[in-house]
Every structure is written in structure tokens, then in C-alpha cells.
Amino acid sequence: MLAGVKVLVIGSGAREHALCRSLSLDPDVTALYCAPGNAGIAEVAELHPVDALDGAAVARLAGELAADLVVVGPEAPLVAGVADAVRAAGIPCFGPSGEAAQLEGSKAFAKDVMAGAGVPTARSYVCTTPDEVDEALDAFGAPYVVKDDGLAAGKGVVVTDDLEAARAHANACDRVVIEEFLDGPEVSLFAITDGVTVVPLQPAQDFKRALDGDAGPNTGGMGAYSPLPWADPKLVDEVMETVLQPTVDELRRRGTAFSGLLYAGLAITSRGVRVIEFNARFGDPETQVVLARLKTPLAGVLLASANGTLADLPPLRWSDEAAVTVVVASHNYPETPRTGDPITGLADVAAQDAPHAYVLHAGTKRDGDAVVSAGGRVLSVTATGSDLTQARERAYAALSRIGLDGSQHRTDIAAKAAAEA
Ligand code: AMP
Ligand code: GLY
């Protein structure tokens, strides 16, 4: 048991709402704050305004609130060194240093770490000139995979059969990674680490494309589910051994020990598991379904990462239930999302669907008595059930009560996995 912890969560997405929801249900958490938060998080945490990218401001706020733990949700503050600033102020922080967050902040750095650690990934070239781009595209052939080297909120990657489109994206970036196409289903596997010990969470699958049937542009993620009935039961052990532990060991060896959440985006190819990407934080929307299934109270897990005591943590406990989340996005997402539209039906979901289904807010804000859209991904409806079929039914039933003019969502989240289970 912990003595009672005051937690400050930084961020304002559905991932942060999911983190705050779990922390609000944790008996060890005596005070819960979120900055800047959103209209939904305000129901479970006390909100404070802050510029999440300003490490000094975040550290000051954490000090004023006497927080025992700061959890930095999104990648941009991590890459900006916000976790370093919090730790420098003597406050335990969940999240990697700015240097270690380069694992997500630079695809080229991630490739270098993987090469050093012997982690299986797509073969790739880093290109900075049009000639290098043409050479790399030619070497791999279609489908072309072209990735902006820097952070691009999930939108820097183009996968296409169209050589001109591949070339255009590559030449619009300062530095690109061009790589071999990986086929096979994708899996997101998260692990909590303190830089030495690695504790894997349960795998989830994300739906990155905007439209049903995996059509349309790449997005930040349109839905997710867990568990994966089709996956090899040994998958987690295999990824621990071939990917997660070697990566954490390699980063420590380089003097950039990584603590926080290590997100492995994997392709299960015919030749084995390959890393598509690493992220340095909880994934969104996968977190919504992974945390829906985690029975171990969350604060102690995050604190053990921050304090370097994960080796002493008892094994995590998981629910046998399945979880599904479906993202509701604004009109015109991911191009130029329209904001300011009223969201209706939130109270109906709370009245009719809880506790099995609930809304996690992303881009929302209060406008008088109304809650209005304020971003591309507006909210995600999460549900649990005895299997994926029931979780899906509950998620879509709750979603049908939500009104948002011009909004879009996928209707096929977890459909294939549920049908095959
Ligand atoms: P990333 O930002 O690296 O996660 O890429 C976004 C999405 O692009 C991934 O989830 C995949 O669907 C796709 N993608 C990225 N790299 C590859 C690859 N080497 N082969 C096939 N698809 C890829
Ligand atoms: N769901 C993808 C991501 O969080 O990057």
C-alpha cells in the first residue's frame, strides 16, 4: 500500500482522460489534478491551466500542488524535456527524459538504437536530398513507406503505391526515413519501465486509417481493442525478449536510460515480429482499452517506474474481459477539422451505458452549459464486455446516443477479430 499520493497528469487527450479515470478509481490516490485537461477530465480531476511544453511552468505547478507524482501524457512535452524539469525540481515523474524521448522524436535515432540492440525492424535509409530519396524508393519498390524524421502527430507517414506521391512527401520533409514495406497485422504493445526492469502490458490493436476497411488517410488512431484473440499467446514473451528488454538495455548503455512507457508498434510479418515504430508514451486510443482491463491500481505502477522500483512490483493483474474503443472525430479530420460544434447525448451515455460503456474526452471544452468540439479527435467511446462482440455492441450502442454535427467514426472497429474469435 502507498501512503496516499497526489498525482498531476499533463495533457488533454482521451489518453489523459483514461489515465485520470483509472487514477480516480485508485484508492491510493488522495488528490488528482490535470493540466490543462478537457471538459471530460474536469469530472474526475481538478483542472489547472498550464503550457504543457513549458517544463519550468509544469514543475512550478507540481510544486504548488505538492504533487507526489507527475505523469506526462503526450510526446511533445516529453521531447521538450518536461520530465527532466519536473525531476530536477525533486518531484517523481512518469515519463522519459527529453533525450530518451528521441526514441519517438526522431525516427533516425530509433533506427540507430534498434540497430545497436539487434531489434528486428524494417530495413531503411535516412535521406536528405532528392537523389537519395529516389535511390531509396527505387531500392525498395512499391508499396513505398516514407516517414518524416520528426514528430508529426501520427501524420508524418505516407504509405503508397504511387511513386510521385511518395516522392512529393519525401521532398516536403527536411529529413526522411524511407523503408521496406512490412505486411501483416499490426499490434501495439506497451511496457512500463524504470530504465532497467520492464513490465509489459496487454497487447492491443489500433486502427490508423480514417475509413472503414482501412481505407483513407493515416490518422492518430480511430479505435482499438484488447485482447487480441488471434495473436500467438507467446507474443508478449517474444516481444519482451527480442524488442522491449534489448531496447531498454541499449538506451541505458548509451547513457540515455528510458523510464516511463515504451510503446512498441509492431508488424507480425510472415518472417516474424518487426518494429514499425517506437513511441515514448501511452498510445491513444490503445490506452483506453488497455487501462479498461488493468485491475492493478495504476498509481503504484507509475510511481514504481518514476522511483526505479519496478523490480519490487507484484505481477500486474488483468481482467478477462474484452475492451473496445471507438473514436468520434470532427468533420474534416484529419485534414482541417472543424471545431466548436455542440456535443449532445453525453448525459444519456452516463445514465444508460455506465459502467460498461463510457465516454473519454479528447478535443472537447465547456461553452456555458454545453460541451463543444475543440479538436480533430473529439472523444472516444470505450466499453468492456465478456468478449469482443459484447464490448463492440456496448461501445456502438453508447456511441449512437452521441450527437456531433458532421462527425465521423469507423463502424468496423474490432469487427474482424470479434467475428473470428
Ligand atoms: P508510424 O507513425 O511509424 O507508426 O506509421 C504510421 C502507420 O504507417 C503505421 O501504423 C503503419 O500502418 C504504417 N507503416 C509505417 N511503417 C510501415 C512499414 N514499414 N510497412 C508498412 N506499413 C507501415
Ligand atoms: N495510436 C497511435 C499512437 O498513439 O501513436
Side-chain angles (χ1 to χ4, degrees), residues 39-358:
I41 298 175
E43 289 169 23
V44 291
E46 184 180 299
L47 300 194
H48 290 267
V50 80
D51 174 358
L53 295 176
D54 181 343
V58 170
R60 193 164 355 118
L61 176 64
E64 282 163 15
L65 296 170
D68 305 299
L69 172 67
V70 175
V71 179
V72 182
E75 61 274 21
L78 290 167
V79 170
V82 168
D84 305 83
V86 171
R87 277 192 278 268
I91 302 167
C93 186
F94 181 82
S97 67
E99 258 183 71
Q102 283 301 313
L103 195 63
E104 171 165 6
S106 164
K107 304 233 182 236
F109 176 73
K111 285 290 185 189
D112 198 50
V113 170
M114 283 188 263
V119 167
T121 185
R123 288 176 299 125
S124 64
Y125 295 109
V126 180
C127 308
T128 50
T129 68
D131 282 348
E132 287 173 3
V133 164
D134 283 343
E135 212 171 300
L137 292 174
D138 190 48
F140 292 127
Y144 303 103
V145 181
V146 181
K147 303 185 170 187
D148 192 340
D149 181 46
L151 277 188
K155 289 164 217 150
V157 177
V158 166
V159 180
T160 178
D161 286 319
D162 179 346
L163 179 59
E164 277 320 306
R167 214 181 244 150
H169 181 59
N171 291 329
C173 307
D174 289 340
R175 200 161 116 106
V176 285
V177 174
I178 293 179
E179 66 180 35
E180 157 193 33
F181 178 80
L182 300 172
D183 60 359
E186 285 180 40
V187 171
S188 301
L189 184 61
F190 302 164
I192 306 234
T193 176
D194 56 11
V196 178
T197 302
V198 183
V199 177
L201 306 185
Q202 290 282 306
Q205 190 170 48
D206 177 20
F207 292 75
K208 288 249 166 79
R209 299 289 185 130
L211 306 175
D212 281 2
D214 294 329
N218 255 317
T219 69
M222 295 299 289
Y225 67 93
S226 176
L228 312 180
W230 51 268
D232 184 336
K234 294 197 290 290
L235 178 70
V236 174
D237 290 344
E238 183 190 338
V239 177
M240 265 297 281
E241 202 176 304
T242 61
V243 175
L244 297 168
Q245 190 71 56
T247 300
V248 167
D249 292 344
E250 172 69 13
L251 283 160
R252 193 179 59 246
R253 198 182 62 72
R254 290 176 178 228
T256 45
F258 184 104
S259 74
L261 190 122
L262 176 58
Y263 167 138
L266 307 163
I268 315 297
T269 75
S270 49
R271 291 180 296 133
V273 173
R274 299 280 184 277
V275 173
I276 293 181
E277 62 162 348
F278 282 125
N279 291 320
R281 39 84 197 166
F282 280 98
D284 187 345
E286 298 96 313
T287 300
Q288 288 87 304
V289 290
V290 172
L291 291 185
R293 300 185 55 228
L294 179 66
K295 292 210 287 198
T296 306
L298 185 60
V301 181
L302 303 182
L303 204 54
S305 159
N307 288 337
T309 56
L310 269 180
D312 304 331
L313 194 76
L316 297 180
R317 289 178 296 111
W318 295 95
S319 151
D320 290 333
E321 287 205 314
V324 170
T325 195
V326 184
V327 171
V328 175
S330 298
H331 182 65
N332 253 332
Y333 176 75
E335 285 82 28
T336 42
R338 190 175 81 201
T339 58
D341 290 304
I343 303 162
T344 59
L346 295 169
D348 298 327
V349 175
Q352 296 176 50
D353 303 282
H356 303 296
Y358 45 88

